[in-house]
């Protein structure tokens, strides 16, 4: 199926999931995950109305950025090495994967040099799978409180990846837990912390994520590979 059809299908399913949860579909944004995808295919997705793209490797993002430039909002969604922050800090709208203080130190430093605060999501390892990055939920509040002291970091929300299983209830439980943390933090007044985005849900589980409160989904294969 052409990419435009995949996107129509995706939007349709997002609407369905939103309606099941009694939510406004318009509040859910799509980050098209374009890792391993050509700039030609990204251009097709732009034509079909997508404006946000997610990349998980710095080098790949930079080479695409050169071709496509500012036409789109770039989101960095993968594990981020501290020594690579300087290459992307100028070019990204949102970093989804802040998960440790050493990375916060570097982002704050680079954003300060840039004279522009960096927007980040804190990645939480809700499933506690060893293969996943992210901080554990019991460390979340102290971590966020520490981040409030960084003048060039703006925490915009949380990011989580569902567990690697076909068990829908297990996936739902993880997303539900993350949503509770999100709402709790949102209700606290912590400086520089503004819980705007709950980034959860990928091709396999975005409908569950939306039913459980996601307002940003990161979808790759369902857009670019017809899965
Ligand atoms: C690859 C990736 C996605 C997209 O996964 P799909 O299954 O292709 O939708 C979303 N989030 C992160 C962090 C990823 O690395």
């Amino acid at each position: 199926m052409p990419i435009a059809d995949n996107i129509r299908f995706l939007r349709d399913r997002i609407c369905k999931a939103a309606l099941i949860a009694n939510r406004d579909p318009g509040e859910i944004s799509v980050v098209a995950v374009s890792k391993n995808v050509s700039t030609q295919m990204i251009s097709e997705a732009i034509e079909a109305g997508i404006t946000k793209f997610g990349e998980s490797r710095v080098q790949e993002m930079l080479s695409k950025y050169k071709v496509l430039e500012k036409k789109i909002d770039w989101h960095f969604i993968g594990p981020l090495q501290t020594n690579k922050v300087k290459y992307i800090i100028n070019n990204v709208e949102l970093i989804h994967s802040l998960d440790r203080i050493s990375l916060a130190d570097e982002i704050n430093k680079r954003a300060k040099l840039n004279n522009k605060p960096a927007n980040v999501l804190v990645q939480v390892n809700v499933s506690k799978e060893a293969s996943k990055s992210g901080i554990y939920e019991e460390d979340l509040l102290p971590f966020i409180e520490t981040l409030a002291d960084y003048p060039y970091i703006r925490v915009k929300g949380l990011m989580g990846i569902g567990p690697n299983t076909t068990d829908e209830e297990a996936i739902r439980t993880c997303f539900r837990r993350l949503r509770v943390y999100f709402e709790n933090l949102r209700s606290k007044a912590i400086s520089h912390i503004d819980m705007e985005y709950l980034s959860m849900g990928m091709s396999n589980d975005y409908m569950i994520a939306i039913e459980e409160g996601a307002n940003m989904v990161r979808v790759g294969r369902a857009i670019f590979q017809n899965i």
Side-chain angles (χ1 to χ4, degrees):
M1 247 197 315
I3 287 168
D5 290 341
N6 289 343
I7 291 168
R8 250 193 307 280
F9 184 71
L10 172 69
R11 292 206 189 282
D12 197 50
R13 300 228 307 167
I14 288 174
C15 278
K16 287 201 174 90
L19 293 179
I20 289 170
N22 241 320
R23 301 179 53 200
D24 172 8
E27 72 183 35
I28 295 151
S29 45
V30 174
V31 177
V33 176
S34 50
K35 61 188 181 205
N36 304 319
V37 165
S38 68
T39 50
Q40 170 57 39
M41 288 167 84
I42 294 176
S43 297
E44 281 182 47
I46 296 171
E47 288 288 307
I50 298 280
T51 57
K52 302 177 197 322
F53 290 84
E55 289 283 340
S56 58
R57 278 184 294 267
V58 167
Q59 216 41 56
E60 187 178 343
M61 199 192 98
L62 289 176
S63 62
K64 288 172 180 172
Y65 184 84
K66 269 195 208 135
V67 178
L68 296 155
E69 293 190 26
K70 297 259 187 213
K71 271 191 270 182
I72 52 189
D73 294 339
W74 294 99
H75 288 227
F76 194 83
I77 62 169
L80 183 53
Q81 285 173 267
T82 310
N83 62 356
K84 302 242 169 102
V85 171
K86 57 177 174 289
Y87 302 119
I88 63 163
I89 194 79
N90 243 327
N91 305 340
V92 286
E93 191 77 10
L94 188 62
I95 296 171
H96 289 228
S97 46
L98 175 57
D99 62 351
R100 58 195 190 279
I101 290 295
S102 58
L103 182 57
D105 286 339
E106 180 66 13
I107 291 173
N108 187 68
K109 177 178 142 193
R110 295 292 166 183
K112 185 176 180 189
L113 288 170
N114 230 358
N115 207 18
K116 190 172 157 245
N119 293 327
V120 304
L121 304 182
V122 171
Q123 183 173 352
V124 184
N125 188 349
V126 257
S127 64
K128 294 202 165 157
E129 287 167 297
S131 60
K132 296 213 169 92
S133 13
I135 68 163
Y136 284 169
E137 53 201 79
E138 54 271 28
D139 301 326
L140 183 58
L141 183 59
F143 184 67
I144 297 254
E145 283 172 338
T146 307
L147 294 177
D149 295 331
Y150 288 73
Y152 283 87
I153 288 185
R154 297 281 179 268
V155 178
K156 291 288 181 186
L158 303 178
M159 184 271 245
I161 299 175
N164 203 354
T165 172
T166 51
D167 178 352
E168 272 199 20
E169 274 317 302
I171 297 171
R172 193 176 291 282
T173 302
C174 271
F175 288 155
R176 191 169 293 171
R177 277 215 314 278
L178 191 56
R179 201 257 180 97
V180 169
Y181 281 96
F182 178 77
E183 298 293 350
N184 283 342
L185 286 164
R186 179 139 80 170
S187 68
K188 292 187 196 321
I190 308 174
S191 67
H192 304 155
I193 314 294
D194 177 14
M195 287 286 144
E196 214 176 308
Y197 301 116
L198 180 55
S199 165
M200 56 185 195
M202 321 200 313
S203 294
N204 286 335
D205 54 19
Y206 66 87
M207 290 188 78
I208 304 172
I210 289 167
E211 285 171 34
E212 297 303 329
N215 60 14
M216 185 172 269
V217 292
R218 309 176 309 272
V219 178
R221 293 171 302 148
I223 292 176
F224 296 110
Q225 290 176 27
N226 303 323
I227 66 140

